[in-house]
Amino acid sequence: MFNFTKCMSLAMFLTFCSYAEANNELTYAEQTCFSVTMENQTLKSVVEWIEKNSQFILSMIRI
């Protein structure tokens, strides 16, 4: 019975920590706003600029 209680306590703690971490990420994304004005640039260079000048990490899939 002790192992079950210990396991459930650990599971609840990890669930709470992951929820708190996800909530923090949403808060940053919702509060952050910036404008980008670039002409004659590739999409790759614009994405790289955004990643260097913010905490956002963008991923692109080539099709």
Side-chain angles (χ1 to χ4, degrees):
M1 185 69 176
F2 178 71
N3 286 338
F4 176 76
T5 305
K6 192 175 181 180
C7 182
M8 290 304 294
S9 296
L10 180 61
M12 289 176 61
F13 175 74
L14 292 175
T15 301
F16 175 75
C17 288
S18 58
Y19 173 76
E21 184 65 28
N23 191 28
N24 288 340
E25 294 297 323
L26 292 175
T27 302
Y28 173 77
E30 291 173 350
Q31 292 178 352
T32 303
C33 180
F34 60 93
S35 298
V36 178
T37 303
M38 299 178 131
E39 294 181 11
N40 298 323
Q41 298 293 322
T42 63
L43 179 60
K44 182 178 177 180
S45 65
V46 174
V47 168
E48 288 173 352
W49 185 90
I50 292 171
E51 290 178 339
K52 288 179 186 176
N53 293 287
S54 70
Q55 293 181 5
F56 290 110
I57 298 174
L58 306 173
S59 61
M60 297 180 356
I61 299 173
R62 290 180 92 177
I63 298 177

